[in-house]
Amino acid sequence: MWDDLLGQPRATRFLRGAVESGRVSHAYLFVGPPGAGKKSAAKAFACALQCDDGGCGACSTCGRIRRGVHPDVRLVQPEGAQGYVKEQVTDLIRDVWLAPVEGPRKVYLIESADLFNDSSGNAFLKTLEEPPEDTVLVLMAHTLDAVLPTIVSRCQTVRFRRLAPSEALAVLMEKTGARREEASGALAAAGGVVARAREFLASPGRRAARDVILATLKDLAVMDDLDVLNAAKELLTAVKAPLEEVKAAQTAELETRAELMGRGSLKALEERHKRELTAREREGVGEVLNVAEAWIRDCLVMSLSLPSLVVNPDASDAMVEVAEVVTPSAATTALAAVNEARRRISYNVSPQLAIEAMLFDVREVLRCPR
Amino acid sequence: MVVPVEELKPVYLIISEQKLLVDQALSRLKKRVGEIADLDYNMNVFDAENAVVDEVIGASNTLPFGSERRLVVVRNIEKMPKSGLDALSEYAADPSPTTVLALAGEKLAKNTRLYKAVDRIGGVLERKAPTRRELPSAVRSMFADRGKEVSLEAAELFVDVVGYDLQQITAEIEKAVAFVGKDVREITRADVEQVAAATGKRTLFDFTDAIADRDCRRALRLAARLIGEGTASEHALHAMAVRTLRDLIAVQSLTERGTTNIHDIARQMGRPDWQIKRLPRQARAFRPGELVDLLRAAARSEAEMKTGRDARLVLERWIVKVCG
Ligand SMILES: [Zn+2]
């Protein structure tokens, strides 16, 4: 599992040393820019703590932690629009005091630690200082400055550095054996996050969703209104298709665990599986938007005769025509449409409607790219 | 010793509309108490439906046998009569320190004495039901449990028509399953519309019809009525009207492609003839490009609704625009 931590030798050495020497603190704060691999590291750390073989990466425990469905490794994200709300923290604190379901301990992976405000942060301090002995809290944040000092002082800080794009590309190619072209497209789809790009490369379904958005963009200018609606539908279907891969893994897990678990726990497991599917669907939509954004950017850099900056070289045929006519301001308008879709989906607007509106906006730009 | 004993609350209230979430929380609590108590001798389980509250309180006031704690569980707390709830809130104000009393069930209002009493000692564990966004998928798997397949589109329509109440959703699912009969495996959008019409939700389709007719007065009046009587939320009406826009766009494009026969149009849209027969005429009342613009406006207005603007006002403004 430590293998999942890409390009972060110092953080890896530190965490690994803590586990192997048996000197694990009760609270950590992982700090680093988006895409640096904090979440992968947090999961690898959780595996090392929970797995009987110190995080082998191959057993059911490791597999479920990686997929975010292990009952004793809880991923916590802010529920309020502005961050962590008091009720969520109260609930979290109560949960911390319940027993682990399976293993010897529980690990909480708490994202966006900068989004604790004074009130929710203070409510959490006592627990952060002295959680039950069988609990490890891993908080994550982009920068140290944004986190309440009272939280920082109660955690062991672990820093993650930003990988340069060329470095990310090299690491990804080395770990997966992918060709430069594939790796570059995967990184663009994964928003530059190496760990996600790696998963992306391993998933035929997610690569197929990328193909669908690329094909849609290629033909978008000549599509009629109904074609566009159908393309949006097809895109969402393609985003959902990789979920079948997840479902297959889930079914296998249900079968192997059925003998070991009571009915109640099985139902709880199914519930966790459902949540996993929702999260993956969101991620899938995000990937499609990343690809669209990268494609438009590629058209722009081609129009500026900078072909070496293209990140989707496998789709460059379709870009040539657009690149001949597109202006920087037209490209900016199209990029804004993609961003708007991303923003709307984050507000829980139906992904279908958000993507339809985006495709109609981009079509307008492609038809009249001035 | 892993758990500091004093961290266990003397009374827990475990609440979720989802029974399985309640079960999950109960089993975790049971495990925690089991670490410090031999539950073979120190546990009682009651069902509020037929339990006598004095017996519950009696069990809670009993000292543990050879252990540090006793566990008393009361299920289906929502079925407890008011007198019972009052007695329990009195107990919660001064609970036995050697007992963990777990009151579990679907719901208990926040303004009840019991809720407040348990909340005061930090014992409320509320588990959330699926969000509105997750409901269509939940509906699909509920249908799947009954051997029926439903497309996501039909499931979304189903949620818009039926509303967000899980109990009502369950009841309407039973109706829909009975409606199509046991030989039919797939439940279509047309089936959902027919079930809805049969169960007094016809007005919803009068509303979308008014939208397609660009009849502003009728659309606003029906929207006000549906929202007022609690039949549909602003979000549901918006979603249904957006579906109508998509239908109109489809018909307009098909007509431009040269498909004019109503039967052919229906077949290409995968819908029965009767459901779409008025659409071609209605679609003609929109200028080229107008429907697409309205759909983009719909994305804007949905974002406004979801970011806390006055949903009713946003919906009405959009309706006026559509009917323009
Ligand atoms: Zn393992």
Side-chain angles (χ1 to χ4, degrees):
Chain A
M1 275 306 289
W2 293 115
D3 203 33
D4 283 0
L5 264 111
L6 309 172
Q8 302 289 353
R10 278 188 56 192
T12 311
R13 245 190 339 264
F14 175 77
L15 292 172
R16 199 170 181 159
V19 176
E20 282 166 6
S21 64
R23 286 197 309 267
V24 176
S25 308
H26 57 263
Y28 289 88
L29 177 59
F30 288 9
V31 182
K38 295 184 296 296
K39 202 151 123 192
S40 308
K43 284 183 178 173
F45 188 45
C47 285
L49 292 171
Q50 299 286 32
C51 162
D52 293 335
D53 293 323
C56 66
C59 68
S60 148
T61 301
C62 288
R64 285 179 296 141
I65 292 173
R66 208 180 240 162
R67 287 172 32 229
V69 296
H70 193 285
D72 296 327
V73 179
R74 228 182 102 181
L75 190 66
V76 185
Q77 291 160 329
E79 272 169 19
Q82 309 299 329
Y84 285 97
V85 290
K86 189 91 179 287
E87 292 79 54
Q88 190 186 1
V89 172
T90 313
D91 193 62
L92 175 64
I93 294 169
R94 285 170 193 169
D95 200 87
V96 164
W97 288 101
L98 296 178
V101 176
E102 281 182 22
R105 56 179 141 201
K106 293 173 299 168
V107 184
Y108 290 81
L109 312 180
I110 302 169
E111 292 197 81
S112 312
D114 48 327
L115 294 183
F116 281 100
N117 57 27
D118 284 345
S119 135
S120 59
N122 281 334
F124 193 48
L125 287 183
K126 188 169 170 285
T127 309
L128 196 57
E129 197 159 65
E130 282 176 49
E133 271 174 44
D134 56 8
T135 300
V136 177
L137 302 164
V138 180
L139 286 71
M140 288 164 257
H142 295 163
T143 64
L144 209 52
D145 301 346
V147 185
L148 292 175
T150 43
I151 289 185
V152 176
S153 67
R154 284 166 172 80
C155 298
Q156 172 91 249
T157 306
V158 185
R159 288 186 184 270
F160 290 75
R161 67 196 181 95
R162 183 190 296 278
L163 289 190
S166 60
E167 203 181 350
L169 193 62
V171 170
L172 184 63
M173 284 164 67
E174 190 213 314
K175 292 284 178 188
T176 61
R179 285 175 293 117
R180 172 170 292 270
E181 194 176 284
E182 288 172 329
S184 154
L187 269 176
V193 182
V194 183
R196 269 174 67 185
R198 192 187 198 182
E199 287 166 20
F200 175 90
L201 283 169
S203 160
R206 283 158 76 176
R207 295 211 311 267
R210 174 177 181 267
D211 293 343
V212 174
I213 179 70
L214 288 175
T216 303
L217 290 165
K218 178 169 182 261
D219 295 336
L220 189 55
V222 295
M223 286 185 175
D224 73 9
D225 298 347
L226 179 55
D227 287 331
V228 174
L229 293 186
N230 287 338
K233 225 194 241 176
E234 200 194 334
L235 261 174
L236 284 168
T237 312
V239 164
K240 285 187 180 115
L243 299 182
E244 294 307 317
E245 297 164 14
V246 180
K247 277 187 199 158
Q250 292 182 341
T251 312
E253 186 183 329
L254 270 175
E255 276 162 10
T256 55
R257 302 192 65 79
E259 297 155 24
L260 307 169
M261 297 168 82
R263 241 184 93 77
S265 333
L266 271 186
K267 292 214 99 172
L269 180 62
E270 284 167 8
E271 202 52 37
R272 276 200 302 284
H273 282 167
K274 255 190 231 160
R275 281 203 301 274
E276 179 189 16
L277 285 176
T278 313
R280 290 295 291 269
E281 188 182 336
R282 265 195 126 127
E283 250 179 57
V285 175
E287 272 174 19
V288 162
L289 296 181
N290 288 343
V291 174
E293 198 167 40
W295 186 88
I296 296 165
R297 181 194 156 278
D298 282 353
C299 292
L300 178 66
V301 297
M302 275 175 87
S303 79
L304 300 173
S305 309
L306 295 167
S308 64
L309 295 184
V310 167
V311 296
N312 295 296
D314 56 334
S316 58
D317 286 357
M319 297 170 192
V320 174
E321 247 179 86
V322 181
E324 271 169 20
V325 289
V326 79
T327 62
S329 92
T332 311
T333 310
L335 287 172
V338 179
N339 239 325
E340 190 58 32
R342 187 177 285 129
R343 196 180 62 93
R344 284 172 179 161
I345 289 168
S346 77
Y347 293 159
N348 274 336
V349 169
S350 120
Q352 188 181 358
L353 184 56
I355 288 179
E356 284 165 350
M358 172 189 92
L359 290 177
F360 281 123
D361 286 345
V362 175
R363 184 181 71 173
E364 199 171 87
V365 173
L366 293 177
R367 281 182 174 176
C368 184
R370 295 294 153 211
Chain B
M1 174 61 48
V2 175
V3 211
V5 160
E6 61 275 17
E7 280 300 331
L8 282 168
K9 309 293 178 196
V11 186
Y12 284 97
L13 184 58
I14 299 172
I15 297 293
S16 177
E17 288 175 42
Q18 296 272 55
K19 186 170 178 303
L20 66 99
L21 298 181
V22 173
D23 288 349
Q24 191 187 355
L26 266 180
S27 70
R28 294 181 70 190
L29 182 63
K30 200 166 137 187
K31 196 165 165 198
R32 197 56 128 181
V33 179
E35 287 171 0
I36 49 168
D38 184 348
L39 292 180
D40 285 346
Y41 300 99
N42 289 296
M43 183 166 81
N44 300 91
V45 180
F46 297 92
D47 187 327
E49 190 161 20
N50 45 37
V52 179
V53 72
D54 288 345
E55 284 175 19
V56 174
I57 290 172
S60 304
N61 281 324
T62 305
L63 287 174
F65 177 76
S67 298
E68 287 185 67
R69 286 286 188 282
R70 278 178 63 75
L71 178 63
V72 179
V73 177
V74 182
R75 286 180 170 278
N76 299 316
I77 190 71
E78 70 280 358
K79 296 200 173 124
M80 175 77 69
K82 182 161 184 315
S83 58
L85 293 177
D86 286 343
L88 286 174
S89 42
E90 259 158 51
Y91 172 82
D94 181 23
S96 157
T98 52
T99 292
V100 174
L101 171 61
L103 308 168
E106 270 179 26
K107 56 186 161 204
L108 186 73
K110 282 199 165 60
N111 59 8
T112 53
R113 271 175 67 200
L114 180 56
Y115 189 105
K116 288 179 188 160
V118 181
D119 199 31
R120 207 168 296 133
I121 52 176
V124 176
L125 295 172
E126 246 174 307
R127 293 286 180 267
K128 289 209 178 59
T131 63
R132 288 178 180 192
R133 192 188 162 106
E134 291 163 348
L135 267 182
S137 312
V139 163
R140 289 181 83 184
S141 61
M142 285 159 92
F143 270 113
D145 288 346
R146 290 161 181 78
K148 303 290 182 201
E149 270 174 35
V150 179
S151 72
L152 187 63
E153 202 186 4
E156 283 168 352
L157 177 68
F158 185 90
V159 173
D160 290 339
V161 169
V162 175
Y164 307 124
D165 181 76
L166 278 174
Q167 231 166 348
Q168 208 169 352
I169 285 178
T170 317
E172 291 298 321
I173 284 177
E174 298 305 341
K175 277 186 213 160
V177 169
F179 173 81
V180 297
K182 63 171 177 293
D183 298 332
V184 180
R185 185 153 167 75
E186 212 208 324
I187 293 184
T188 62
R189 189 178 151 181
D191 294 328
V192 173
E193 294 192 1
Q194 278 192 305
V195 172
T199 53
K201 304 262 186 183
R202 185 59 239 172
T203 334
L204 280 169
F205 298 99
D206 291 341
F207 166 72
T208 54
D209 218 38
I211 291 285
D213 280 337
R214 309 191 81 169
D215 183 338
C216 196
R217 202 172 160 267
R218 191 155 57 100
L220 286 176
R221 184 169 51 80
L222 286 167
R225 186 170 130 204
L226 288 161
I227 296 166
E229 67 196 9
T231 310
S233 66
E234 290 88 347
H235 298 269
L237 291 179
H238 185 264
M240 292 192 68
V242 166
R243 255 181 230 111
T244 304
L245 279 191
R246 289 195 188 106
D247 286 346
L248 290 165
I249 290 174
V251 169
Q252 216 174 43
S253 289
L254 287 171
T255 315
E256 267 165 42
R257 291 179 195 176
T259 313
T260 46
N261 178 300
I262 192 77
H263 183 67
D264 293 339
I265 293 177
R267 198 173 41 80
Q268 294 216 36
M269 291 173 67
R271 310 271 295 281
D273 291 9
W274 63 267
Q275 266 187 13
I276 62 132
K277 64 174 186 293
R278 300 190 59 231
L279 287 173
R281 197 181 50 70
Q282 290 167 323
R284 277 198 293 277
F286 293 87
R287 291 186 308 279
E290 196 177 4
L291 285 164
V292 165
D293 286 343
L294 291 168
L295 194 75
R296 288 146 104 181
R300 272 195 300 279
S301 54
E302 194 182 332
E304 283 178 19
M305 282 179 170
K306 300 259 162 94
T307 46
R309 306 284 173 78
D310 180 345
R312 175 115 178 229
L313 193 65
V314 174
L315 176 69
E316 288 179 345
R317 270 201 345 247
W318 181 71
I319 290 174
V320 171
K321 200 176 217 162
V322 173
C323 297

